[in-house]
Amino acid sequence: MFLLPLTLLLCSSLSWAIHESDVGVIDWHKRLVGVPHAARIIHPENSSLVIVPTANNVLAALNLADGSVAWRYAFDSTDGIASFHVDGDSVVTLSGRGATNLRSFEANTGLITLEKRLEWPLSTGPTAVDVVFASGATFVLNTYSIARLGSGEVEWTWEAEDKSMPYTRLVQTPTGIYAVGLSPTSSSLYLAAVDPVTGGKIQIGWKHLPESVSSFVVAGECAAWVDPASQSLGFMRLTPTLKASIVAEKIMKWQELVDVHLPDLLVGVLTSGDAKVLHAKEGGVLEAVHTFPANDGAHTLFSGGLDNTGEPYVVRLWTTADNTTAAEIFSATHGVAKVAFSLGHGTVTHLAVDGTRLVLTTSTGAVQLWDQNQLIWAREESLASIDVAAFVELPVPERVARVDESETFFARLTRQIGDARYFPEFVVGFAQRFAGAPPREDVIVSANNHSAALARDAYGFRQVLVVGTAHGTVYGLDSSSGEILWARVFGLGWASAVGGTVRPVKIFLVNSEDGADGEKDVVIIAQRKASNTLVDTVIFRIDPVTGASVSPVEKDSGALLEGKDVISGPLTEAFLLPDSDVILLLDEFFQVLPYPDTEANTAVVTRRAPSIFMPFLESFEEGPRVLGHSLKLDPELSDRHVAFRTWGLTLPPGESVKKIVKPTPRPPAPIASLGKVLGNRTTLYKYLNPRMFVVLSEGSGEASIGCGVYVVDGAKGSILYSALVPAAGLGSACDVQATLTENWLVYHYYDGEGVGPGETKGWRVVTVELYEGELDEKTRSSELSAFSLESMQVEPLEQSYVFAHGITAITTTSTKYGISSKDIIVATQSNKINSIPRRLLNPRRPKNRKPTTEEMQEEQLIPYDPVMPDDPRRTISHNYDVVGTRQILTTPALLESTSLVFGYGLDMFLTRVAPSGTFDVLSESFNKAQLVLTVFGLGMGIGITRPMVRRKRLRERWYQ
């Protein structure tokens, strides 16, 4: 037991979690909810909330006043939201497989007031679910069954005898509970009347409908539908006997009915373009109470809602020919209000109404509140679906001199004379820095300071984060605050005529086209999928500072971002050639297209083709496989290089490839040390094969034996290291997380077996270091040919530890010169981001003995402890609840000690870590004034005593 306190004590100096005073200053956290599927506005206890279930499997409440998150609940990935329902101050959800999990949330706080697993008679998944509320009870429909819940318990369950009659809607009226459904095979409306008190069957029946009827809407006591063949409206009253006759309205030509989620209202659309608001009156009669006139919009939405007084509103929204969004809002009390505004880009996909205020969800993933023609607030929820991300260093300030070899003497002289105007400012700043502590903002680049110009700071803490999302948008974020610097929407190009989507798949940084020193362009490779099923590949080249298109050059940066079509078909893979700005694109025929497609770049590919090795996943009927490829040029077949298969990774029976993990960081960082000096002064030389990568596999079929971890040589497919670990549980999928940097592999998994004596179930983290051989054995692995026999000479050192948490993402820190120690950064399932010092993961930690003095001094070894201590001081996310982290991206600052860490998934979080301490920056507590006074005093003392010493020595010479 003495090992745990000792380990915590020795590692405390390397636990660089931020201090409480730095929270929100050197880090930031953006709470997101995801892009809503729908929205309902409620007014519990004089507050106004927007209840939204989202594409990220989150149920959230947004404050209508400012758009902030009032509360949110993130469902597990295996517990998908099937439906949500609002009743006064309660929000009820059905989720999970078979929609068996019922939860009730308090609307104001998000607290769960009821959580119940419903045991339905059928084990198969439902085709529809619905919930209604009556007399203090909750009634739940699950396709063939109805359950009543009261006081948190199931009071009764009714099950349909005929399983060929699926029900999709549950209706509560003063006369009973009704289940209504439309047959998927015959044109029949199925009806069931159930006693709400006892659950007994009152009546079962059906109504024959025209064959062209494919849907129905329920409002009040009526079930209504439209017959597209006769363009007539049909409806019937729901009564306990189910013998009410069908009423048909054939005078007007009806096109469709729209459910606006109001108890007694629905909308009927006519073929003329007019739309009528229909009121379901008592007695089962539909009456038109308002008519929306026809408009010129092709994209029309309807929605309904209640204001804080309970007054119902119905809105029709459409996009006009001039791309303006127009809306008409009807209320029986207040009449009709008309509004018009411009969304900019995208279309409205979901709509909610609160009086004259509209809450919109757009196709670009934004959630907006409009009051008349004024935008009150907006949330860019597409940032919860980031596909690609990259850090980009900002350019140096204009007043910083740049070396330009083409600059003439007189041009340089003129520039330097002009820069002289900054000299007084420099002198004052130098004096301030020399005499006192540097300004705090210079050291930390405060997340609360948005006034500074967009330029590189002294330490490189402020950078631009360029992120591309699944909703066809790309953003430039300020890494010091998380604020959006610019936002663009990918254009559809030729597909704009038919519609479609653009989704980014790769992102690369290349040198700027204008040749400016150190400036970068961002290249995003995207797949464009048109509505007519055609797929092609587009490249967008962007200025990361402004968001403007670099190629092709654009005139209006406010327009859609137009890219360059490079492949008429899907993209197979893309690589950035090391030490170059050439990107290799592989089409579906494995032809290689260099980008930019110039003669010079083609010559580069031809020259380097023999040393280019491209391993990637290919899909086959039996599952994905990892195949290696090289390049060849056959002028008789193609004028471009073609990738041909050179090897394939063969896995044991019952295993299939899950994913490939490339080494981090990308591109590779400098390697400061080629070996590790041990306590006895011998050396273990690192195995630094630049072509190796990690393959993670999973068991499949009855022959499944677990999850595989393989380190593979990308040139010839040789396995350099392999391990087989158990799956998370019987029949569970493999959830192995891994990262590889230099010669260091770390992977994490769940061991659900624990079969040996003294073993236990739980999470494990394994650290592996690869070396070139035994002590002092050196093969120069980083310089060896890919096909040298010595390249297979690998000696792994590994050790495993019990870890306290499951993780969702893992990576390593990266610094500018690779001198600082590397820490492991993990995102845990408890919504925290932690840093694990490398010395804790050293596989040479001695077992059953204490490290020698030499080992402690040279290697900083500590005794082995099978349990990794769960030290809260290593939580770099502090008290933030960082939900749903899928990826962690790190990048070096200009300071060698510091690495920027960016985690994204549902939320976004960024902070800084210093694995080896901030050895290159004086701390804030350092008393620079005292140092200056001390030096000045010593100088004064020397100046005073020097003449005295000189006179004394002169007198001594006279008397010698």
Side-chain angles (χ1 to χ4, degrees), residues 354-417:
D354 176 49
T356 59
R357 298 186 297 179
L358 302 177
V359 177
L360 314 178
T361 302
T362 72
S363 58
T364 60
V367 182
Q368 302 174 347
L369 173 66
W370 290 85
D371 190 351
Q372 299 294 328
N373 60 350
Q374 183 179 1
L375 178 64
I376 306 301
W377 52 258
R379 295 180 58 90
E380 297 296 338
E381 289 298 336
S382 62
L383 289 170
S385 304
I386 295 175
D387 283 337
V388 295
F391 280 97
V392 185
E393 289 187 357
L394 285 167
V396 297
E398 290 296 330
R399 66 175 181 270
V400 177
R402 301 182 183 180
V403 178
D404 186 356
E405 296 180 356
S406 62
E407 190 176 27
T408 65
F409 171 76
F410 292 104
R412 183 180 297 111
L413 181 62
T414 303
R415 175 176 56 80
Q416 291 176 348
I417 293 174

Side-chain angles (χ1 to χ4, degrees), residues 602-625:
T602 302
V604 170
V605 175
T606 302
R607 184 175 66 255
R608 299 178 59 174
S611 61
I612 295 177
F613 306 102
M614 298 183 295
F616 52 84
L617 283 176
E618 290 188 47
S619 298
F620 295 89
E621 291 184 0
E622 62 274 15
R625 291 188 60 196

Side-chain angles (χ1 to χ4, degrees), residues 180-196:
V180 187
L182 191 65
S183 171
T185 57
S186 62
S187 299
S188 299
L189 189 70
Y190 295 140
L191 304 166
V194 180
D195 189 315

